[in-house]
Amino acid sequence: MLNKNWYKLDNVGKFYSSIADKEYQQVFRYSITLKDKVDQPALQQALNESIEVFENFNVNLKKGLFWYYLEETNKKYQVTIENLPICFKIYNSSSDFLYRVSFYNKRINFEISHILSDGRGSIEFFKTLVNNYLKIKYKIKIDPTTNTSYIEKAEDSFDKFYKKTKVTTKRISNIYLYKGKKSLNKTRYLEAHLPLKEILELAHQENATLTSLLVSVLIYSMKDVMSERELKKNIKIDIPVDLRQYFKSFSSKNYFGLTSVTYKFNSCNDSLDDIIKSVNKELKENLTPEKLIERVNQMVAFEKNIFCRITPIFIKNIALKIINYFSNRMSTSCVSNIGKIEFPQIAQEYIENVNILTSTPGFQLTICSNKDDLSIGISSKYKYNEIIKNFCNYFSEQNIDMIINVSEVD
């Protein structure tokens, strides 16, 4: 029998593989709604062709003595009609794929484990899958969306750009955590679509970027929910940042940094303008290569520590789950702006909209856009979330039309 190739996990992949369990796994879901019903054989052929370009995705997760690792598989994933909850756990055993492709009516879904890739790193696969499907289904010519080599796609950019540096990260204490009632083993997903042009005009009026505006509106939406005692706490919003735009990387593995903004209400009279000014200032200070790489190098340094390297995997798993538990309590929420997801003009004619959702231990916003459609995917573990209600109501108060799809996952 031929030996199969195996690959090391990147820094983030090692973390998520160690905390993956039956209760919670970090999963991204890309969905595209087309103008016609999905053809299953065409989608299967499109997936087969796409995975040939992204061989590093066709792997299984295996358990080693010190770390998990990836091993190539010759099996082919079989496309199915959607029959699982949104962002349902992907990894159960060492024979499982770390992604899934499903469809329902006019919608194609691509879900992927954070063990394998991050939000931005897996977009090229998603785009390749969609373009291949449209090419097969409608017999149209579409040029490849990526021309990067296998080596570039499989690169561990965390390791490539790592430099041992002194860490000066400031810890934020007294974090505000939403006290809503959580639904056991249930996540509510809300997909909101707004006109991108109107939201950008609103951001321009407020002298804010799109990300700054949405983060600020989210913080503003918490004001009426917080008690007087809670108003004295720090609201901390984590913001993942694609490092490929700062360092020359074409990796389809994980490669992102994490920044954050912190806001404490001076009083219940703080306006949205006050919050936007503060968020703009903090993001401008934090979104520099030097600031972003500092925290990344801290994570990689932990992995490279000799004591960490020789610690058996079962001890690492326990330690990382404890770290993850406390890490989740060190931020109020997370806002991830994936950015534009663009397709060739000939492909756009067949597309209605695009959406991204992600699993979450609390509540989170995942943002993307296609044409003039801004999509905000909202994930919440809470049975009722007044913050999300206030967030959506803000845009209605600005007379901005919003189309909302809501799903419940059992």
Side-chain angles (χ1 to χ4, degrees):
M1 186 175 73
L2 293 175
N3 290 328
K4 295 180 180 179
N5 289 325
W6 68 274
Y7 315 97
K8 291 195 297 183
L9 284 162
D10 58 66
N11 179 267
V12 171
K14 287 176 180 175
F15 175 76
Y16 280 109
S17 61
S18 293
I19 67 168
D21 55 30
K22 293 180 181 179
E23 282 73 38
Y24 174 72
Q25 293 180 17
Q26 187 72 44
V27 176
F28 293 101
R29 173 186 170 105
Y30 301 80
S31 297
I32 187 162
T33 303
L34 303 172
K35 294 182 179 179
D36 297 319
K37 285 189 176 182
V38 175
D39 181 303
Q40 184 171 0
L43 182 57
Q44 183 65 59
Q45 186 182 339
L47 174 60
N48 294 345
E49 292 182 10
S50 301
I51 209 68
E52 289 180 6
V53 181
F54 290 82
E55 295 175 49
N56 56 309
F57 279 15
N58 212 49
V59 292
N60 301 134
L61 183 67
K62 302 292 184 178
K63 190 175 184 179
L65 180 60
F66 299 108
W67 288 112
Y68 289 89
Y69 64 95
L70 300 172
E71 183 180 83
E72 70 175 357
T73 175
N74 294 324
K75 294 187 299 180
K76 289 185 177 181
Y77 186 90
Q78 297 301 308
V79 170
T80 60
I81 296 174
E82 186 175 13
N83 59 359
L84 290 171
I86 294 170
C87 292
F88 191 70
K89 59 183 183 289
I90 288 182
Y91 170 71
N92 288 296
S93 73
S94 61
S95 62
D96 290 336
F97 290 91
L98 294 178
Y99 68 90
R100 71 169 64 97
V101 177
S102 65
F103 70 96
Y104 179 76
N105 201 356
K106 299 179 181 180
R107 176 171 286 209
I108 295 172
N109 308 305
F110 166 58
E111 295 177 311
I112 185 166
S113 169
H114 212 330
I115 293 169
L116 198 57
S117 183
D118 59 19
R120 195 72 220 178
S122 45
I123 279 181
E124 289 305 319
F125 179 89
F126 175 63
K127 289 165 65 176
T128 299
L129 174 67
V130 172
N131 284 335
N132 281 342
Y133 171 78
L134 295 175
K135 184 174 62 176
I136 294 163
K137 168 73 173 173
Y138 297 104
K139 307 291 189 290
I140 55 177
K141 179 176 171 56
I142 302 178
D143 293 328
T145 59
T146 177
N147 57 5
T148 55
S149 68
Y150 170 77
I151 292 174
E152 288 174 314
K153 290 187 183 75
E155 176 187 273
D156 183 350
S157 296
F158 282 115
D159 189 63
K160 179 179 178 179
F161 294 104
Y162 169 71
K163 288 183 182 178
K164 193 173 182 179
T165 56
K166 186 177 179 181
V167 177
T168 58
T169 306
K170 185 174 73 172
R171 286 193 173 274
I172 307 295
S173 59
N174 199 26
I175 305 295
Y176 168 66
L177 300 174
Y178 182 53
K179 299 297 185 184
K181 183 179 179 181
K182 285 191 175 182
S183 298
L184 288 175
N185 301 320
K186 182 183 284 189
T187 305
R188 282 173 168 76
Y189 292 99
L190 186 152
E191 179 183 321
H193 293 272
L194 304 94
L196 177 61
K197 186 178 179 182
E198 290 184 38
I199 299 299
L200 289 175
E201 286 175 357
L202 183 60
H204 181 71
Q205 291 168 16
E206 300 287 354
N207 294 314
T209 63
L210 177 63
T211 301
S212 292
L213 174 69
L214 296 177
V215 168
S216 299
V217 172
L218 182 63
I219 293 171
Y220 185 67
S221 300
M222 299 179 192
K223 185 172 66 171
D224 292 339
V225 176
M226 299 168 73
S227 66
E228 275 194 44
R229 180 176 55 82
E230 289 172 331
L231 285 169
K232 297 174 183 177
K233 293 189 174 186
N234 291 299
I235 295 171
K236 182 169 173 279
I237 308 294
D238 285 341
I239 303 171
V241 181
D242 178 26
L243 292 178
R244 297 167 187 82
Q245 59 186 310
Y246 294 93
F247 304 93
K248 191 176 180 181
S249 169
F250 302 97
S251 177
S252 58
K253 289 186 172 185
N254 291 291
Y255 192 48
F256 70 97
L258 198 65
T259 190
S260 62
V261 294
T262 307
Y263 189 84
K264 183 191 288 186
F265 286 101
N266 294 312
S267 74
C268 59
N269 295 320
D270 284 16
S271 68
L272 179 61
D273 285 343
D274 296 326
I275 300 170
I276 288 174
K277 286 174 185 175
S278 176
V279 169
N280 270 341
K281 180 175 181 294
E282 196 165 356
L283 279 181
K284 189 174 181 181
E285 291 172 354
N286 291 344
L287 290 178
T288 65
E290 295 76 21
K291 288 277 188 180
L292 290 168
I293 203 66
E294 191 175 85
R295 186 167 179 179
V296 169
N297 285 340
Q298 181 184 19
M299 296 189 302
V300 179
F302 172 77
E303 171 199 335
K304 291 181 176 292
N305 182 284
I306 183 63
F307 296 106
C308 179
R309 289 168 66 182
I310 63 175
T311 301
I313 194 168
F314 74 93
I315 297 177
K316 284 192 181 89
N317 289 351
I318 295 169
L320 288 172
K321 284 177 182 178
I322 293 170
I323 291 171
N324 184 57
Y325 171 80
F326 286 104
S327 176
N328 288 335
R329 300 183 66 80
M330 291 304 294
S331 69
T332 308
S333 184
C334 178
V335 175
S336 179
N337 188 355
I338 303 298
K340 289 182 179 180
I341 301 181
E342 296 179 312
F343 294 90
Q345 186 58 43
I346 192 170
Q348 285 287 175
E349 296 174 14
Y350 301 92
I351 296 170
E352 289 283 358
N353 59 58
V354 177
N355 176 251
I356 304 178
L357 292 164
T358 183
S359 53
T360 179
F363 70 100
Q364 178 169 343
L365 274 60
T366 310
I367 303 151
C368 69
S369 65
N370 175 258
K371 297 184 287 188
D372 188 42
D373 178 66
L374 177 69
S375 175
I376 304 176
I378 302 172
S379 314
S380 176
K381 291 292 288 185
Y382 298 96
K383 193 169 183 180
Y384 305 105
N385 196 322
E386 293 294 312
I387 294 172
I388 298 305
K389 186 185 79 172
N390 293 345
F391 177 85
C392 294
N393 284 345
Y394 168 79
F395 297 101
S396 298
E397 291 164 4
Q398 305 304 310
N399 295 317
I400 295 175
D401 292 333
M402 177 186 283
I403 298 172
I404 296 178
N405 298 320
V406 180
S407 298
E408 289 193 6
V409 176
D410 294 321

